[in-house]
Amino acid sequence: MARPTKLGPFEAYVQERIEAAKPHWIPAVVLAREIRDLGYTGGLTQLKMFINPLKRVDAEPVVRFETPPGAQMQADFTVIRRGRDPLLAFVATLGYSRASFVRFTVSEDAETLCACLREALVCFGGVPQHILFDNTKTVVIERDGHGDGLHRWHAKLLAVADEFGFQPRLCRPYRAKTKGKVERPFSYIRQDFIWPAPSATDTPCAPPTCPAPCNSPARSAPVNASTGH
């Protein structure tokens, strides 16, 4: 049998308050003040230990968002290593087919981004209606800079958009799942494609310096389970 605690008589009250306040959270100091008015004489630490397991955040349901052919491409960089010998990968993924283009780089500045975008669009042999980007300074100078939904785009990105005829779009801030299609290959690139060097050397094995041809087996996209294509 558990030892009775000073908090015991007030546990039901605390649980009811926490449940009623969801999805908001009541700080321990506020709850302590309330139950002290009801006669609680224990400390704040005991209360915190009791309520911490109750502070569960329900996972947000994932809503799959599909785009028709030719509508969307998602583009982003993933960091493989930093330091004096950096290595990154630019990935562009078509929203409908999930076909992906990968280019290894040593930078993610605006010039590199634009060069990779040009290569990807030439490789795919077409241009989507819009390309979805993260909220980085190489893409957008100021989100909503000209009003709600009217962003101040980076001049170099706008030049590429005008050259190829696509519309840049931004994913929602702090919502990584918005770009789930392009981020899905990241773990494969980092864990399965880039092999570590033998322990006798200090330098990782070099990745390919250029992408595989678009019509090679490495470029073949798997069947999309959502669209069946």
Side-chain angles (χ1 to χ4, degrees), residues 21-65:
K22 286 182 178 180
H24 304 290
W25 179 252
I26 306 175
V29 290
V30 175
L31 291 170
R33 186 167 60 243
E34 292 181 10
I35 60 178
R36 278 174 183 147
D37 290 341
L38 298 175
Y40 176 62
T41 59
L44 186 62
T45 300
Q46 184 178 164
L47 176 61
K48 285 183 175 180
M49 290 177 63
F50 175 73
I51 66 174
N52 279 344
L54 304 177
K55 197 175 182 179
R56 278 201 316 269
V57 178
D58 294 333
E60 185 179 358
V62 177
V63 179
R64 187 176 292 276
F65 179 71

Side-chain angles (χ1 to χ4, degrees), residues 23 132 175:
L132 188 66
R175 289 291 301 275

